Amino acid sequence: MSAPSALLPPGSTIGILGGGQLGRMLAVAAAQLGYRTHILAPDDESVAAQTASSFTRADYHSRIVLDEMAAQADVVTYEFENVALGPVTYLAGKVPVRPGAKSLEIAQDRAREKAFVGDLGGRTAPWALVTTREELLDAVATIGAPAILKTLRLGYDGKGQVRIHDAADAEAAWAEIGERPAILEGFVEFSHEFSIITVRGLDGSLTSYPPPWNEHRDGILARSTLPAPAEIARHWTEAAALAGRVADALDHVGVLTLEFFATPDGPVFNEMAPRVHNSGHWTIEGAETSQFENHIRAICGLPLGSTALTGTRVEMGNLIGDEADDWAALLAEPGVHLHLYGKGDVRPGRKMGHWTRVVRS
C-alpha cells in the first residue's frame, strides 16, 4: 500500500516496550489495522507476547537488543512508564519513539510531574519534596496530617504509598518506603475520582474521551462508569483543557491520561500516565474508536478516530485476583464483554482481566 510519507502504512512494524496487558491490547488493535508488533520485555511471563507478531525476552539495557529492535521497528512505543529512560533515549536516536522521552521523564518523577502540571495552571494538592527524615518532619509540620507519603519513582495501584494519620506516624512511614526520595501530599476532600484520556496526533491534533467515574478499592481501580455524574461532568471542560495543554507542552504523540479528584473548588490533578490506561478499557466496546486503536493511529501518523460513546451507559469492571474465576458466569450474562489477559498465577491485587457492559437503549 502507498501512503503519504508522514504515515506508516499497514504492514509496518510497531515495537512495544513492555509485556503486560496494555501491550497485549495494543497489539490486538495494531493487528486489526494491519500492523505487525514486536514486544520487548524482560519478564518470564509476557501476556503481550501472546497477541504480538514477535517477542524478545531481554533486558531493556542491552544495546544489542535495542539495536535489533530499532532495525526491525518503524516506530517504537511503550505500554508502561516504569521502563528506564536510558534505553528509550537510546532508541530515539535510531527510530521514532512515540510518545517521546520527555513524557516518560516527567511522568516517572512525582515531584517533576506535580511542578510541571502546576506551571501549566493545573490545581494540585499541597505537596512537598522530601529526601531526608528531617525534610519529612518539616513537611508534615507545614502541610499537616492526615497526608500520604509517595515514593518519588515507581509505584502504582497503591504501591509505594503510605498514609500518615498524624505527625507521630512520620518516622515509621519513612522507614516503610525504605527512606527513599518521596513527596508528601496533603489529603484532598473530594466527591469522586475521574480521568481524562487524551489523544494527540503526530500533526498536533487533539481529541479526548468523556471522563469516566473511577471507583477504587484498596488503591486499585475497581470500576469505571459513564456517563459520569454531575459532580464530575461540571469539571470536564477544565480538566480536558489542562490535559490538552500538558500534551502540547510535552509534544506528546499518542494517548495521555490525567487522573483527577472532583472537588468543590474544581478538578484537582492527581497523577498522569503517558500511555493507554486502565480507566480507558471501556473504550474497546464503549467508544467508536478504542484508546488502543487511537494510540496506534496517533503513533503511525493516521487520522484520529471518534471518541463518541456507542451507547447511553457504559460500565467497566476489573477482575482482580480470584474474581477472574467468575468468567463462566460473566460469559453467560447477556451484554457482557469479557477480556481475560492470559496471566498464569492468580494473586491478590493482580489484574487478571476486565468486563464491559454497554447499554444502547
Side-chain angles (χ1 to χ4, degrees):
M1 296 183 184
S2 60
S5 58
L7 307 184
L8 283 182
S12 302
T13 297
I14 300 168
I16 301 175
L17 302 177
Q21 64 262 21
L22 297 177
R24 178 188 182 92
M25 288 180 271
L26 282 171
V28 170
Q32 289 174 336
L33 293 177
Y35 292 96
R36 301 177 185 277
T37 50
H38 182 84
I39 302 293
L40 171 60
D43 315 288
D44 292 338
E45 176 188 58
S46 172
V47 297
Q50 298 171 10
T51 60
S53 308
S54 56
F55 169 58
T56 297
R57 181 192 168 199
D59 187 88
Y60 297 121
H61 293 274
S62 168
R63 293 289 176 91
I64 294 174
V65 170
L66 294 177
D67 286 343
E68 289 175 349
M69 170 167 264
Q72 293 179 36
D74 298 288
V75 66
V76 172
T77 191
Y78 41 87
E79 62 118 37
F80 75 130
E81 63 269 37
N82 288 334
V83 60
L85 189 62
V88 174
T89 303
Y90 180 79
L91 275 172
K94 297 176 175 292
V95 64
V97 176
R98 300 168 185 155
K102 186 177 181 182
S103 296
L104 197 66
E105 184 178 11
I106 296 296
Q108 284 184 347
D109 185 307
R110 285 192 167 100
R112 293 193 65 183
E113 179 184 77
K114 296 280 188 187
F116 186 82
V117 172
D119 288 344
L120 292 171
R123 186 183 293 104
T124 69
W127 65 278
L129 173 64
V130 294
T131 59
T132 65
R133 169 184 167 277
E134 291 71 24
E135 287 179 352
L136 174 58
L137 296 176
D138 289 344
V140 171
T142 301
I143 292 174
I148 186 163
L149 185 65
K150 300 180 178 181
T151 55
L152 204 59
R153 294 179 174 271
L154 306 178
Y156 57 93
D157 289 343
K159 300 178 179 69
Q161 304 182 12
V162 182
R163 293 196 176 194
I164 295 177
H165 298 283
D166 56 54
D169 296 334
E171 294 199 33
W174 182 241
E176 188 169 339
I177 67 165
E179 301 183 353
R180 290 183 287 167
I183 63 169
L184 183 74
E185 187 176 290
F187 267 30
V188 174
E189 294 292 337
F190 63 93
S191 60
H192 297 77
E193 295 178 77
F194 69 98
S195 53
I196 296 291
I197 297 171
T198 293
V199 194
R200 186 173 184 271
L202 188 58
D203 62 356
S205 57
L206 279 166
T207 190
S208 65
Y209 291 86
W213 171 23
N214 299 325
E215 299 174 85
H216 291 78
R217 185 172 66 244
D218 299 326
I220 302 173
L221 180 65
R223 187 171 304 225
S224 295
T225 308
L226 296 100
E231 293 88 344
I232 290 172
R234 70 186 184 90
H235 296 318
W236 183 356
T237 300
E238 182 180 346
L242 175 62
R245 293 198 301 275
V246 172
D248 283 340
L250 293 170
D251 195 20
H252 189 90
V253 177
V255 168
L256 173 71
T257 306
L258 272 64
E259 297 181 41
F260 292 91
F261 301 116
T263 80
D265 296 326
V268 173
F269 169 77
N270 179 28
E271 61 186 26
M272 74 179 190
R275 53 168 172 80
V276 290
H277 197 260
N278 191 184
S279 67
H281 289 357
W282 63 269
T283 63
I284 298 174
E285 290 84 21
E288 290 187 7
T289 312
S290 77
Q291 65 165 347
F292 301 99
E293 180 178 330
N294 257 335
H295 186 80
I296 298 300
R297 286 179 179 231
I299 66 173
C300 293
L302 307 180
L304 302 182
S306 169
T307 58
L309 299 184
T310 58
T312 57
R313 178 180 171 84
V314 183
E315 187 177 18
M316 185 280 295
N318 273 327
L319 296 171
I320 301 168
D322 60 10
E323 292 176 352
D325 293 341
D326 294 334
W327 60 268
L330 287 165
L331 285 174
E333 184 178 337
V336 169
H337 303 272
L338 178 64
H339 297 259
L340 296 176
Y341 302 151
K343 295 180 179 180
D345 295 336
V346 177
R347 299 192 297 267
R350 193 181 196 196
K351 295 173 184 173
M352 303 298 295
H354 74 270
W355 54 261
T356 306
R357 294 187 183 95
V358 180
V359 176
R360 293 186 168 87
S361 58

